[in-house]
Amino acid sequence: MNQQKYADHSVVLLTHAYLNYKNEHIATAKYDLQDAHYGTAVFDRLVQPAKNIEMVFSGHIGAPNDVRKHLGFRIDNNSAGKRVSQMTFNAQALGGGTYGSGGDGWIRILEFLPDGKTVKVRTFSPFFALSSSTQHLAWRTEDYDEFTITLN
C-alpha cells in the first residue's frame, strides 16, 4: 500500500537473494519455496516503481574462498529517474569454505557523510585486526571493497 505520509522519506531496503556476483538481479534460486520473490521480482515490483528507495542491500551469494563471488553492485534508475544503489555482500564461505571459519569476520562499514549524498564503503575484519601478526590483513582495499556511493 502506498502511503503518502512516507513519500518524502528515504528508504534503504534489506533483502536476501537479490544480486549475483555478475551484478545481475537473481531470477531464481534453488529453494523449495512456493511464494519467494528474488532479485528480479523485487526490483520490478518494488524497487523500480518506488520513488524513494535509494539503496538495496542483500547477501546470500558466495563460493568457497572466492572473494569476488561474494560481492555484487549495480546502480539502476527508478520510475522517477533517480539512481538506486544496490549492493550484495556475503562473506560466510570465506576462510575455509562453507564449513570453515564463517567468513573470517568480514563486514562492510558504510559511512554516511554529513553532506547527505556521499556514502563511503569499506571492508574490514575485526578478527584480523585483533592480532599484531594479521593486522595488515584487516582492511581490504581493492576497488570492489573500498568505494564511494553518491546518493540522489
Side-chain angles (χ1 to χ4, degrees), residues 70-92:
H70 287 81
L71 308 171
F73 184 81
R74 70 183 284 156
I75 297 173
D76 289 301
N77 289 334
N78 65 17
S79 63
K82 294 182 179 178
R83 292 181 316 275
V84 180
S85 297
Q86 302 151 86
M87 180 172 59
T88 292
F89 178 80
N90 182 42
Q92 72 190 43

Side-chain angles (χ1 to χ4, degrees), residues 29-115:
K30 296 177 182 177
Y31 293 114
D32 187 20
L33 300 174
Q34 300 298 319
D35 60 350
H37 297 287
Y38 301 104
T40 301
V42 171
F43 182 80
D44 291 346
R45 296 178 187 174
L46 177 62
V47 177
Q48 201 279 333
K51 296 180 174 137
N52 58 348
I53 295 177
E54 292 196 43
M55 303 179 93
V56 179
F57 299 130
S58 63
H60 176 68
I61 65 172
N65 298 315
D66 186 341
V67 169
R68 294 294 285 142
K69 296 232 174 135
H70 287 81
L71 308 171
F73 184 81
R74 70 183 284 156
I75 297 173
D76 289 301
N77 289 334
N78 65 17
S79 63
K82 294 182 179 178
R83 292 181 316 275
V84 180
S85 297
Q86 302 151 86
M87 180 172 59
T88 292
F89 178 80
N90 182 42
Q92 72 190 43
L94 297 175
T98 305
Y99 301 103
S101 62
D104 288 333
W106 290 110
I107 58 174
R108 278 274 163 98
I109 298 172
L110 281 70
E111 180 183 3
F112 291 78
L113 299 186
D115 67 5

